[in-house]
Structure formats: C-alpha cells, structure tokens
Amino acid sequence: MLKLDSKLSEVPRIGKKYGPILEKLGLQTIEDFLLHFPFRYEDYSERILISDLTANTTATVMGEVMQSKLVRTWKKKMMITECYVSDGSAMVRAVWFNQPYVSDSLTKGKGVRLSGKVSKDIKGLFFSNPAWELSSREPTNTGRLVPIYPETEGLTSRFIRWQMQTLVGFADKMEDPIPENILRGLHLPNLSQALKQIHFPKSVQEYEAAQKRFSFQQMYLVQIASQMVKMDWDKQNAVKIIFDEGFIKKFVASLPFPLTNAQRKAAFQIFLDMEKDFPMNRLLNGDVGSGKTVVAAMAALAASHTKFQSAIMAPTEVLARQHFESMLKLFAGQKINIALLTNSYQIIKVIGHQSSVIKKQNSKDDRLLMTDDKKSTSKKLLRNELLSKLKSGEINILIGTHALIQEAVKFKNLALVIVDEQHRFGVAQRAYLQQKIEQINDGIPGKIPHLLSMTATPIPRTLTLAFFGNLNLSVLNEMPKNRKQIITEIIRTTGRQKTYDFIRNEIKNGRQAFIIFPLVEESKVLTELKAATEEHKRLSEKVFPDLKLGLLHGKMKSTEKETAMQDFKDRKYDILVATSVVEVGIDIPNASVIIIEDADRFGLSQLHQFRGRVGRGEHQSYCFLFTSSSTIKSKERLGAMVKFTSGFDIAEEDFKLRGPGEFFGNRQSGIPDEAMKHITNVKLIEIANDYARETLSESPDLKKFPLLKKQLQKFQQKVHLE
Ligand code: ADP
Ligand code: MG
C-alpha cells in the first residue's frame, strides 16, 4: 500500500522510468511530489462555442472528432496530426507537430476538449499544439485553470498533472505544522485544502489563498528560525569593551579624512553594543566605497585598547590581504600587532612598538615577518610562531579568510569578530555563522565574541524586516565627500570603437580597465571556459593587440582567481577581462574604466557592484554599459544606472523591475521560493514575525508544537549552509 513517504518509483505509473527523473527535481516521495507546486496557471476555464473563436486568442472548446489523420511531410521530416472537431456550431482544425500518438487517441467520434492558442492561415482558424483531453475525463489539462509546472527534460507538465490528479488525495494524510488558531485568525486554508487548491484550483481566489498560506508558512518558519538564533545568542555572555571616547577621538583626528556622519553614527552604535555584557550582533550595510573598513578598524582598535583581541574575516585571500594593508596604514602610530593568516600568507606586523617582538634572520625589516613562498618548512615555522603569538595574546588583530574560524586557531582573549562582505545574509546562513563563532576557541571561557558583519549589498528598505527583522542594523547611506562621481554612459553598437579608443587613451595615461562580459548559459562548464577564453582572445588579438590583458572566470581554481586579481592589482595587466566572478570588494584604485558587455543581461544591483570596482582612487572614473538592445525596458533599466548613484536607490529600482525571485537568487537569500512570492507583502511578514514571537513565548523550544519543530528542521536542512 502506498503511503505518504512511499518512494515515487513505487507508484505504478511513475515506476522506474519516471522515478529517477523526478528524483533529479529533488522529489523522492509522494509527500515531496505534493509539495512540487505549479509556477503559473493557464486559464482554460471558460469554454466557448467554436463559432465564437477568433484568431490570436486563447480559448477552450469541446466537441466531437469528425476526422483525424497523421501526415508526414517529407521535406521537413515532420509528423503532423490534423484533426477536425465540431460542436454543432462550427468546425475547427487542430494540428499537432511531432506528436503522432495524439492521432491514436483522437479517433473519429471521440469527444474532446481543446485548450490553447487559436491562429489563422489560408485554410481558416486552427489550434496549434493545443492541450487536449477526452471530454469523458475529469478536466485536468483543459477546460479549467490548468497548473503549469516547471518542466524538466523527459517530464512534461501534462505528465505531472496526470500523476498529481491520482496522488493529490494523499494531501489528507499530511499533518499541518501551523497551529490551527493562527490559520483561523488569518483566514488561511489548512494544509490539505491548500495543497488541493494549489494543484487544482477551481478559481483564481483558490490558488491565491493557497499561495498565501504557503508564503505565510515559510515566512513564519524563517521568523521562528531567526528568533531562535537570536534568543540563543542573546542568552550568551560577552566581555564588555569599555568605550574610551578620548582615545577614539584621537584616532579619528589622526585619519587623513574626516569621517562622514553615517560613519560616526555607525561607529557609535557599535561602541554602545560592545559595552554590553551580551554579544553584539550588528550588520553594517553600506554601499561600495562608503568606508566600512575604517568603521571596522575603529571597533577593533577599541577592543585592543582594552587588551582584547579581534579577528577580521574576508571571503578571499586577496580581500584579506587588502584589509591587512589598509589596517597597517590606518594604525600607523598605534601600538598594535597585526597578523595576516591565510593559506598563502602568514604575516606578522608590529606597528608602533619600539622593541621588535619577532625577529627573522636575514630579514630586511626585522619587524616584519612574511612568507608567501613555497618553502613549506619556513611557512610552517612561521605559521606555528604566529599561532603561538596569537595564543599568548601578543597579536591584537588577526586578519584572514573565513578559514580562521574553522581552523585550530586559538586565541588568548578574542572579544570581537568582524566578517566582511557577508553577502550571504540569509537567515539560515547567518545562523550558521553565529554557531561557528560560538564554537571558536576564543580563550575566554563562558563568553562569546561580539559580532559585526558587513555587506555591500544594499537591500530595498521594504525588505529589511524579512531579512534583518531580528538584527541590529547600521547603514552607511552617505558617501565620503571627496568622492568623484563615476561617469556612466550607455553605449550602443555605433559607440563601441570610440569607447575602445577612450580606454586605450586612459591606459596610455597609466590607468587600468575592467571588461566584464556575461555568460549565456552559466551552468555549462565548458561553455564558460570556452566563452571566457574566446572573449579574451578576441579582445587581445583584434581590439587591443598592443596591451596586456588578463583573464578571470568562474571555472578557474580559487588560487588561480586570486593570482589573476593580485596580478592585476600589481599592474601586470592593463585590462582585466572577467566574467561576473570579479571580486566584490576588491580595491584597485588605479582602475578607472569598466566596460560591461551586454549589460542587459545583468541585474541592476549587479551592475552597480561592477561599477563599484572603479572610482576607488583619485582618478575620474567611467562606466560604459554596452548594449545592442533598444527596447523601452532596456532603456528604462540601464537609464536607472545613469540616473542613480546610490546602491540603495538602485536596489529599490531593481526590485521593482525584476521582482523578488530574481532580485536575489533563492539560495543567496535563504528565503524559499514560496515566501519570495509575497516578500513585498510587508504586512504578511510583520504578521509572521508577530506569530513567531507568540509561538515561541508559548513554547521556546517548540516542544508543544512537534510538527512545527519537525518542519523547521527540514527547512533548515533545505536551506543550504555553506
Ligand atoms: P567599502 O565600504 O566598500 O569597504 P572602503 O572601506 O574600502 O569601502 O573605503 C573606500 C575608500 O574610501 C578607502 O580608500 C578609504 O580609505 C576611503 N575612505 C573611507 N572613509 C572615508 C572618508 N570619510 N572620507 C574620505 N575617504 C574615506
Ligand atoms: Mg570593503
């Protein structure tokens, strides 16, 4: 007997043939299958008379097959089924291409329902490849709101509908994780109702209600998950880092620039958080170039001033090294020991101290120990030395990649962790990071470090609750005053050559340039490699034979990518040709031009991230958006890039134009598809947040709601934690 958790391959008509295909979609059991939702509906609900058909409309008719034949066209080697259907009012033709089996079913005299597009040719009106089914059958594919499922190779929507029709009854066996009183309060259908309505809605209202229910469910789970993490986090203890105002003021005065008001405010919020005896959990959200690094530096400095250690983590080695170098500059004159620890670099630098702490024989600078050579013995020695200085507390600030919290790195008294470019801001990803930080060997028993994360991905204001509902947020919404505006231009085909000449001229003046191009099909490994290599070849041979061009693409190993970035930074190339993998956050002050090929293919927020790669030095910078499209939509989109300079404005615009699903890939946001559909429904999110609180205050560990707890575990497994 089939059960809810029976494997799909055990279902008679699915079997060994279709089971594996469904498995590829992540569907293993009958329950999974029921949770595979249509992504849209075709409205075939209204049946009309054949005599009322008009060309270029979508319609449903019902009638009797008067004649049916299978024709083979020799020229194109195509099989065409041609069928005449009459309902008494008139007769209409229907044709199917390469579906010979249709003529087996639709024999003369059969009653049939047809739904689809009506076209017209010299022979009159006809249906082309319509959905069809025998009128003796329950309307599934025609004559109703027909669910359209995401299709995969070897599996049609028609097939899924057919199976769903027989399996949807299992919905009654599924238990609802949402407490009944909540559903009642919100007038939402219960689980089994909602499942039936989402697959076979009798009206638009029915599927909308079902979608709303599932959106609410996901939002509610998201909010519960993040509340639980927050409750857990807030229960922990942290060391107080006392804010020494005079000391910080002196540091600020030593900077080569005045802080922006936004930077001041953010720093102040951070200092207040760190004075508490429970750990800070704050997100610093600021556009590219808004100056997050110096804010982070102030926090780390405050910690080291009270004799506590800090760790700063970046997603890549290049960025870690960049931070190390910026910190060296910012802290010149401070009595601070900074170290950089990644797989390739182990560097300890002592700034400001008179007596050198570490000596290395034959080293030119006896206060600097550095190795990025391949000699593993010295590397290992230095690594050990660094780790021991970390444990003894001589190193105040440790900078590195995310590996810092995964490795056997032991601190003496780590009180602050800063995570840069934390663009995976999904609730689940954050929870994972927090867990990792709780496990870090910080050397202070019973306490966990304060956490500051930073991201340059602006989020539309309307979404902050969904993502940051339980988080303290500081926003740098103001750019440093000295910043030159990046000049952005849209370039159509005719302007190409002029732009290339312009780049050559910039390079002649000592600048560097990025050329970014999109991939047509990013998923295909070979295609990316080929496309990237070809583009690089075309540009270096045909366009810039006189210049040095580097290449960066997603199929390179991460060490290769790092080398390409570093080489570009070291001016070994004039131009870096890159796919969209070009590093977020990399600072190449000498780069003054960026070209984005086929700019239409990128989202606005992504374009803004690319644009942020230039304009980071004192040079006037330019961003050229290449496009061959002249549609109004493209003009509107790319026009927004010219009009807006703030990432927040662009995010808002992007979100408006593209909708939430595409705005962040699902995995990046950690917000499931169903919830995405209603993510702009701030009200629904607020309600979900309220109910989540209520549920948890009733049962903090969800013991009273076992189904909900189970659902939550499933949900947390599903959202990838990387
Ligand atoms: P991001 O927020 O993208 O990480 P950074 O911290 O890298 O930005 O800062 C970008 C550049 O701006 C750096 O060179 C930094 O020294 C400089 N900067 C930061 N704050 C200010 C300021 N208030 N005035 C002028 N320049 C600043
Ligand atoms: Mg940065």
Side-chain angles (χ1 to χ4, degrees), residues 44-53 58-66 83-94 96 106 109-116 118 127 130-144:
Y44 291 154
S45 55
E46 210 173 321
R47 185 157 62 86
I48 60 170
L49 288 176
I50 294 178
S51 56
D52 290 339
L53 288 176
T58 300
T60 296
V61 299
M62 204 163 105
E64 189 183 322
V65 177
M66 307 308 285
C83 203
Y84 285 87
V85 174
S86 166
D87 65 355
S89 77
M91 190 145 76
V92 69
R93 189 161 41 108
W96 288 269
L106 295 187
K110 285 266 169 68
V112 65
R113 218 172 9 246
L114 302 172
S115 284
V118 183
F127 280 96
W132 62 275
E133 94 202 310
L134 296 179
S135 32
S136 54
R137 286 193 47 180
E138 171 106 354
T140 306
N141 299 304
T142 63
R144 57 167 304 136

Side-chain angles (χ1 to χ4, degrees), residues 257-260 263 287-294 480 482-483 616:
F257 45 73
L259 291 181
T260 63
Q263 282 172 319
D287 214 341
V288 265
S290 60
K292 294 184 288 291
T293 313
V294 66
N482 61 354
R483 213 43 62 75
R616 299 176 78 85

